Amino acid sequence: MRNAYHEELSGIGRGLVDMARFSAQAVERATAALLDSDLPTAEQIIAEDARLDGMHHDLENRAITLLARQQPVATDLRLVVTSLRMGTDLERAGDLAQHVAKLTRLRYPESVIPQELRPIVRDMGRLAKELMLKTAEVLDARDVDLALTLEGDDDQMDLLHRELFQHMIDGRWKHGIETAVDVTLCGRYYERFADHAVEVAKRVVFLVTGEHADDFVVES
Amino acid sequence: MRNAYHEELSGIGRGLVDMARFSAQAVERATAALLDSDLPTAEQIIAEDARLDGMHHDLENRAITLLARQQPVATDLRLVVTSLRMGTDLERAGDLAQHVAKLTRLRYPESVIPQELRPIVRDMGRLAKELMLKTAEVLDARDVDLALTLEGDDDQMDLLHRELFQHMIDGRWKHGIETAVDVTLCGRYYERFADHAVEVAKRVVFLVTGEHADDFVVES
């Protein structure tokens, strides 16, 4: 019984790692499609989000089956409940990558991102992918030290996000309001994507140590 | 034992209703503060979001206690797991009301919303509140018929959202890029707030009928 239990539990863990890797790849490809105005890739990302939803659905069913069959208590119960919460974060991150792809499709064949903002958006996309790959690794290896580095990465994302806005409001904007609206939404998608990655990593820290990641950061 | 069980289960239900009502009130007050550039009210909403987080925390603890003590299976287990998910939606809705209040604070004493957009934003705020109050009622009374009306309200929110963008990009915008960025984010906050209300109501439909709300809407 215990073996079946640990097998089911690690199945949930693997499901989360797979979802995180899938989201990381989605945001990487969505960024490339955004910068290249690549419609076929954008369409593919939009269609493939259903796979992530399916992974999330499977994860929930695994968790419910485990709760029903094994009736875990204490730490193990909290682990399963937290996994459900992390699954929601990861599905949502995938939605945000899909939103980037939808903006690309909406403006095609025009480019969403003006020339001078491309380096910032490229950096935001790269950072979003890296954050999520780290989160996958944190989930896989229960690596608390790695989890704590995500806060720094997220600060960097906030800096890029502010830089993006600064470019728009410095009085030299020549791209009209519609592009400003698109860039604003795009920046928000990347920022929220990163938030979800950090949120999942923080939950792993809490599961492993019983302490909230924020407490660590204050001390370090 | 069964009595204690049903007591615990209805405690979770009441917790969700309270969270929905709290979020509805938060978005109503946040909209008033936004339109009146009312800093004290905005500050209060920002501070009081911690109460909603506390309600969510309590709800999670109740759910975990119930799972550990009563070890529900089948429908009841799915009810508890779905309640956890709904709690996350409702907490997030409160965050979005808080974001509206933070925009108000950021631009104070200036107004975030230009004069000609005030009617649309007022309508978005009113609709967001009404959607969430309906969701509270749906949670309280398991009212599937009422839940199905939320899709129509959400369509109305999407229309208002599009109208807001249309105003910005019709070529007569005189308020600069910074205001366009603010209005874009604000519109997004209301739209997402409504999404969370609809999401919770859909989950109630699924719990009560075993069918997804979308299937109903197609039939009706």
Side-chain angles (χ1 to χ4, degrees):
Chain A
M1 196 66 170
R2 287 293 94 178
N3 270 351
Y5 173 64
H6 285 291
E7 188 44 49
E8 287 182 25
L9 206 56
S10 70
I12 291 173
R14 277 196 306 275
L16 287 169
V17 172
D18 289 346
M19 286 183 75
R21 289 192 181 136
F22 189 97
S23 306
Q25 207 200 25
V27 82
E28 179 178 34
R29 292 171 63 223
T31 306
L34 175 73
L35 294 171
D36 299 340
S37 301
D38 173 353
L39 183 62
T41 301
E43 294 278 19
Q44 211 180 351
I45 292 160
I46 293 163
E48 284 178 2
D49 187 57
R51 278 182 53 201
L52 188 63
D53 295 346
M55 289 159 86
H56 187 207
H57 196 69
D58 285 350
L59 186 91
E60 282 195 332
N61 284 338
R62 276 170 188 270
I64 287 172
T65 303
L66 187 145
L67 289 170
R69 278 204 211 141
Q70 312 284 358
Q71 311 196 322
V73 293
T75 312
D76 284 350
L77 175 56
R78 200 165 277 274
L79 175 62
V80 177
V81 168
T82 303
S83 297
L84 286 165
R85 185 89 181 261
M86 296 195 284
T88 307
D89 275 306
L90 296 171
E91 183 189 335
R92 185 69 202 143
D95 288 344
L96 291 159
Q98 192 195 33
H99 286 350
V100 171
K102 282 184 174 172
L103 261 185
T104 304
R105 181 173 69 180
L106 183 67
R107 299 303 173 212
Y108 180 83
E110 301 294 318
S111 176
V112 176
I113 308 295
Q115 199 62 36
E116 74 267 29
L117 293 182
R118 293 169 63 88
I120 302 178
V121 171
R122 184 174 292 118
D123 285 352
M124 290 181 90
R126 187 186 40 73
L127 198 54
K129 181 202 73 177
E130 285 172 8
L131 271 160
M132 194 53 95
L133 281 181
K134 276 194 190 179
T135 293
E137 181 60 24
V138 167
L139 282 163
D140 200 22
R142 317 236 140 213
D143 186 338
V144 171
D145 290 333
L146 183 63
L148 298 177
T149 69
L150 266 83
E151 290 276 351
D153 295 340
D154 195 40
D155 290 346
Q156 214 184 320
M157 180 64 91
D158 289 344
L159 276 178
L160 287 167
H161 197 205
R162 268 204 290 281
E163 206 182 319
L164 193 71
F165 282 176
Q166 207 51 47
H167 261 277
M168 285 194 281
I169 65 173
D170 75 352
R172 286 174 293 169
W173 185 257
K174 296 182 289 283
H175 308 286
I177 299 295
E178 186 166 275
T179 301
V181 168
D182 287 351
V183 170
T184 300
L185 290 175
C186 212
R188 175 100 186 132
Y189 299 152
Y190 284 112
E191 188 204 18
R192 290 292 302 151
F193 183 99
D195 285 346
H196 288 293
V198 171
E199 200 56 43
V200 170
K202 277 186 183 172
R203 288 186 202 285
V204 174
V205 172
F206 184 65
L207 283 173
V208 173
T209 67
E211 295 183 55
H212 285 288
D214 295 337
D215 301 336
F216 276 80
V217 173
V218 169
E219 284 165 24
S220 67
Chain B
M1 197 67 169
R2 287 293 95 177
N3 271 350
Y5 172 65
H6 284 292
E7 189 45 51
E8 287 181 25
L9 206 55
S10 71
I12 291 173
R14 277 196 306 276
L16 288 169
V17 172
D18 289 346
M19 286 183 74
R21 289 192 180 136
F22 189 98
S23 305
Q25 208 200 28
V27 82
E28 179 178 34
R29 293 171 63 224
T31 305
L34 174 73
L35 294 171
D36 299 340
S37 301
D38 174 352
L39 184 61
T41 301
E43 294 277 20
Q44 212 178 351
I45 292 159
I46 293 163
E48 284 178 3
D49 187 58
R51 278 181 53 201
L52 187 63
D53 296 345
M55 290 159 85
H56 187 207
H57 195 70
D58 286 349
L59 185 92
E60 283 195 331
N61 284 338
R62 276 171 188 270
I64 287 171
T65 304
L66 187 145
L67 289 170
R69 278 204 213 143
Q70 313 284 357
Q71 310 195 320
V73 292
T75 312
D76 284 349
L77 175 56
R78 200 164 276 275
L79 176 62
V80 176
V81 167
T82 303
S83 297
L84 286 165
R85 185 90 181 260
M86 295 195 285
T88 307
D89 276 306
L90 296 171
E91 184 189 335
R92 185 69 202 144
D95 287 345
L96 291 160
Q98 191 193 34
H99 286 351
V100 171
K102 283 184 174 173
L103 261 185
T104 305
R105 181 173 69 180
L106 183 66
R107 299 303 172 211
Y108 180 84
E110 300 294 319
S111 176
V112 177
I113 307 296
Q115 200 61 37
E116 73 267 27
L117 293 181
R118 292 169 64 86
I120 301 177
V121 171
R122 184 175 292 116
D123 284 352
M124 290 181 91
R126 187 186 40 71
L127 196 56
K129 181 202 71 176
E130 285 173 8
L131 269 161
M132 194 52 95
L133 283 181
K134 275 193 188 179
T135 293
E137 182 60 23
V138 166
L139 282 164
D140 201 20
R142 319 236 139 212
D143 185 339
V144 171
D145 291 333
L146 183 63
L148 298 178
T149 69
L150 266 83
E151 290 277 350
D153 295 339
D154 195 39
D155 289 345
Q156 215 184 319
M157 180 64 91
D158 289 344
L159 276 178
L160 287 168
H161 197 206
R162 269 202 289 280
E163 206 182 320
L164 194 71
F165 282 177
Q166 207 52 47
H167 262 278
M168 285 194 279
I169 65 173
D170 76 351
R172 287 175 293 169
W173 185 256
K174 296 182 288 283
H175 308 285
I177 298 294
E178 186 166 275
T179 301
V181 168
D182 287 352
V183 170
T184 301
L185 290 175
C186 212
R188 175 100 186 134
Y189 299 152
Y190 283 112
E191 188 205 16
R192 290 293 301 151
F193 184 99
D195 285 345
H196 288 293
V198 172
E199 199 56 42
V200 170
K202 276 187 185 172
R203 288 186 202 287
V204 174
V205 172
F206 184 67
L207 283 173
V208 172
T209 67
E211 296 184 55
H212 285 288
D214 294 338
D215 301 335
F216 275 81
V217 172
V218 171
E219 284 166 23
S220 67

